[in-house]
């Protein structure tokens, strides 16, 4: 099982580990609740080296991205990042991806960890002569520094402060530190890549500057509060971005894999991902049955929200329910009431 370059650091900090996307990664240190709250109130640092990443450059790189991904990377300038998706011919989401654009024909592509190999293969197979595709996963580490205090802390450590969905190169100990103002928590901050040999020193530098070490358990509760999808639960190869209520990720003004099928799905959605909040103290979990009017489905993502103090979740319901239809979740054999909420869940009270 692959391990992060920071594995020994996590062991020294007393981390608990889980198999995440085939990697042995820290799920928590002090505890999910404490780490979640540290990110919402201050700053946390996550090791996200399990995420995929590869370099794409050369004449034709932009058109290759446009043909394989549903958002249009040509509409962002160098120095910016974009959220997008790789679809199959049936318009299912093979992966949701962040693209970092460094120059006119130079990009980093950041797929989910579980999908590094198939997405990398897709690009290598489709790349025209002159476009070079090379994995960065083996030679680099990737950290996420998130929270209200994160921008200043990042600047203190690597000398630059990445703006939201901006990419910029900083420096750490005389070597490049590549940063993007992206993340999976809804808080300010960024994701920083460095050569693997500098990973331990960079992680410790963030800790020394005041960041709290956070595991992937807190990352999951933080992303759910924002309604951010998790590939494999809220997105998969049989679910289109439209059914996941993410049409904003689709740029219809260019040709891409799955576009024709996606247009047909748009005419009548078979299912829809809807957000909900539990009315009582019950917590809905992945796979729990859901009903709303004449529609039925299952919970895609569900958990307790540490910030809000009650259970929240997202569920696929078929056919898409009416906006006024009540929603219930079956928890341990009993149907529990829930109210419809359009994510993000924070800021609704």
């Amino acid at each position: 099982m692959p391990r992060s370059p920071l594995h020994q650091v996590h062991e020294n900090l007393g981390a608990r580990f889980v198999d995440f996307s085939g990697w042995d990664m820290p799920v928590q240190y002090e505890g999910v609740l404490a780490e979640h709250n540290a990110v919402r109130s201050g700053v946390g640092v996550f090791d996200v080296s399990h995420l995929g990443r590869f370099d794409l450059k050369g004449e034709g790189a932009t058109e290759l991205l446009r043909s394989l991904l549903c958002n249009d990377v040509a509409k962002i300038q160098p120095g910016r990042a974009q959220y997008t998706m790789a679809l199959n011919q049936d318009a299912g989401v093979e992966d949701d991806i962040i693209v970092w654009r460094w120059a006119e024909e130079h990009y980093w592509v950041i797929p989910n960890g579980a999908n590094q190999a198939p997405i990398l293969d897709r690009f290598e197979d489709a790349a025209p002569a002159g476009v070079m595709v090379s994995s960065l996963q083996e030679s680099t580490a990737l950290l996420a520094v998130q929270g209200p205090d994160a921008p200043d802390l990042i600047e203190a450590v690597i000398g630059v402060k990445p703006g939201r969905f901006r990419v910029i190169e900083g420096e750490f100990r005389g070597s490049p530190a590549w940063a993007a103002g992206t993340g999976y928590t809804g808080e300010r901050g960024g994701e920083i890549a460095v050569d693997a040999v500098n990973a331990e020193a960079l992680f410790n530098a963030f800790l020394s500057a005041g960041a709290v070490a956070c595991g992937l358990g807190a990352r999951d509760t933080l992303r759910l509060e924002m309604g951010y999808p998790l590939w494999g639960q809220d997105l998969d190869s049989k679910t289109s971005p439209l059914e996941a209520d993410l049409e904003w990720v689709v740029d219809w003004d260019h040709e891409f894999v799955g576009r024709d099928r996606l247009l047909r799905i748009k005419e009548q959605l078979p299912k829809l991902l809807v957000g909900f909040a539990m009315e009582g103290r019950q917590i809905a979990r992945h796979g729990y049955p859901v009903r709303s009017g004449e529609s039925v489905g299952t919970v895609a993502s569900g958990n307790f929200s540490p910030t809000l103090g009650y259970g929240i979740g997202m569920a696929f319901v078929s056919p898409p329910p009416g906006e006024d239809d009540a929603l219930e979740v079956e928890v341990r054999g009993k149907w529990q009431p829930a109210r419809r909420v359009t994510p993000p869940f924070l800021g609704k009270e």
Side-chain angles (χ1 to χ4, degrees):
M1 182 182 294
R3 289 180 168 181
S4 161
L6 290 161
H7 189 86
Q8 187 60 54
V9 175
H10 302 317
E11 283 193 338
N12 295 343
L13 290 171
R16 288 176 50 193
F17 293 87
V18 293
D19 179 347
F20 193 86
S21 299
W23 286 61
D24 195 18
M25 296 298 293
V27 65
Q28 66 179 60
Y29 302 86
E30 180 183 352
V32 171
L33 181 61
E35 293 161 26
H36 179 110
N37 290 336
V39 173
R40 288 282 182 245
S41 62
V43 58
V45 56
F46 301 82
D47 179 7
V48 291
S49 297
H50 65 288
L51 291 177
R53 49 201 176 276
F54 58 89
D55 187 85
L56 183 74
K57 61 185 174 183
E59 190 67 32
T62 299
E63 285 308 310
L64 178 62
L65 285 160
R66 296 184 77 230
S67 68
L68 295 182
L69 304 178
C70 68
N71 212 338
D72 189 354
V73 75
K75 294 187 176 180
I76 64 169
Q77 298 297 316
R80 292 180 176 265
Q82 184 185 73
Y83 179 61
T84 185
M85 295 180 181
L87 310 183
N88 54 38
Q89 293 292 355
D90 292 325
V93 179
E94 294 292 337
D95 200 20
D96 62 331
I97 291 167
I98 299 287
V99 175
W100 299 7
R101 188 173 193 180
W102 293 109
E104 288 296 329
E105 297 284 7
H106 184 199
Y107 301 87
W108 280 14
V109 181
I110 319 292
N112 282 289
N115 296 323
Q116 163 82 350
I119 298 300
L120 181 62
D121 288 347
R122 173 183 285 211
F123 275 83
E124 289 178 333
D125 291 345
V131 173
M132 295 176 287
V133 185
S134 54
S135 175
L136 299 165
Q137 194 177 42
E138 299 79 12
S139 61
T140 62
L142 187 64
L143 306 182
V145 183
Q146 309 275 281
D149 300 335
D152 290 339
L153 189 144
I154 292 171
E155 185 177 33
V157 173
I158 67 169
V160 295
K161 184 185 296 187
R164 187 175 184 274
F165 273 76
R166 304 296 202 276
V167 297
I168 190 169
E169 185 175 318
E171 182 180 307
F172 180 73
R173 294 193 170 183
S175 297
W178 302 276
T182 54
Y184 201 42
T185 67
E187 295 294 340
R188 301 174 66 198
E191 295 171 312
I192 301 101
V194 291
D195 290 333
V197 294
N198 292 321
E200 182 175 342
L202 181 63
F203 192 85
N204 287 331
F206 282 124
L207 295 182
S208 297
V212 173
C214 298
L216 299 181
R219 190 167 178 260
D220 189 59
T221 54
L222 289 158
R223 70 92 191 169
L224 181 57
E225 288 184 341
M226 298 307 299
Y228 293 162
L230 174 64
W231 193 89
Q233 291 185 190
D234 312 298
L235 299 169
D236 58 44
S237 61
K238 295 183 178 179
T239 300
S240 74
L242 305 185
E243 293 164 302
D245 200 22
L246 293 169
E247 185 174 357
W248 65 268
V249 182
V250 179
D251 188 295
W252 296 102
D253 295 333
H254 75 296
E255 294 296 327
F256 55 87
V257 174
R259 182 179 184 275
D260 291 344
R261 176 60 180 157
L262 199 59
L263 283 168
R264 293 195 294 272
I265 292 173
K266 187 176 183 180
E267 296 175 0
Q268 185 173 359
L269 293 182
K271 61 183 178 181
L272 183 65
L273 187 68
V274 300
F276 64 86
M278 301 302 294
E279 293 286 11
R281 298 179 60 84
Q282 302 293 333
I283 300 173
R285 303 290 186 184
H286 172 71
Y288 282 14
V290 173
R291 65 188 184 190
S292 181
E294 299 298 317
S295 303
V296 297
T298 57
V299 174
S301 288
N303 210 328
F304 174 78
S305 164
T307 304
L308 298 172
Y310 51 78
I312 58 174
M314 298 183 289
F316 280 108
V317 185
S318 178
E323 292 185 5
D324 297 328
D325 288 344
L327 190 143
E328 296 177 294
V329 182
E330 187 179 7
V331 181
R332 292 191 291 275
K334 294 184 178 180
W335 288 100
Q336 304 290 341
R339 55 187 171 87
R340 288 276 297 274
V341 179
T342 301
F345 297 94
L346 298 189
K348 298 293 184 181
E349 301 271 327

